[in-house]
Amino acid sequence: MTTEGIEAVFMETHNWGKSVKFFQGLGYELEFATDHNSGQLRKGDSPTLFIAEIPADRQPQVQLVLKVADADAFRAGEGVALETPFEDTHFGTRMATVRDPDGRAWSLQAPLKTDS
């Protein structure tokens, strides 16, 4: 099993409030906000946009997160190797990292397995 497309866009900002207003002005709706200047927006059935505020001395980054249905069943295609293995996150998913030929890191996100 490989990836299923773009799950989310993770974006860092120096001003959470202004960023939320900007994307709301583009038609995105705030799904939730945290108590530490971050949160998630969505427009229709498009990938989510997760925005997190960072300190002014850091350069804001943007990263695409690719969807994986089952981390345990993930098999990378030719030329792809996991740089970091799938690990549980504090926000309820499992994430891993791969690098493309130009050295860019790509996050892979899968749901946590639930015991039935």
Side-chain angles (χ1 to χ4, degrees):
M1 175 183 306
T2 58
T3 63
E4 297 183 337
I6 298 173
E7 173 80 3
V9 175
F10 177 78
M11 186 180 96
E12 296 175 327
T13 182
H14 289 140
N15 190 309
W16 159 249
K18 285 183 179 180
S19 291
V20 169
K21 285 184 182 16
F22 173 80
F23 283 100
Q24 286 175 322
L26 293 173
Y28 283 77
E29 294 183 21
L30 183 62
E31 289 189 329
F32 68 85
T34 70
D35 60 356
H36 52 272
N37 293 332
S38 67
Q40 182 170 290
L41 297 98
R42 184 185 299 269
K43 182 167 175 57
D45 62 355
S46 69
T48 59
L49 174 60
F50 190 89
I51 302 173
E53 189 171 290
I54 59 169
D57 64 343
R58 284 189 37 208
Q59 180 67 32
Q61 303 291 317
V62 173
Q63 185 169 15
L64 293 179
V65 178
L66 302 177
K67 182 178 184 178
V68 172
D70 182 346
D72 293 331
F74 177 76
R75 300 295 174 259
E78 185 175 336
V80 179
L82 289 178
E83 182 170 285
T84 60
F86 280 95
E87 295 180 351
D88 295 355
T89 67
H90 69 279
F91 46 87
T93 65
R94 297 185 73 202
M95 292 192 79
T97 305
V98 294
R99 285 205 183 268
D100 69 19
D102 293 311
R104 286 179 290 260
W106 292 80
S107 292
L108 306 177
Q109 180 172 281
L112 284 174
K113 285 217 172 187
T114 58
D115 294 328
S116 301

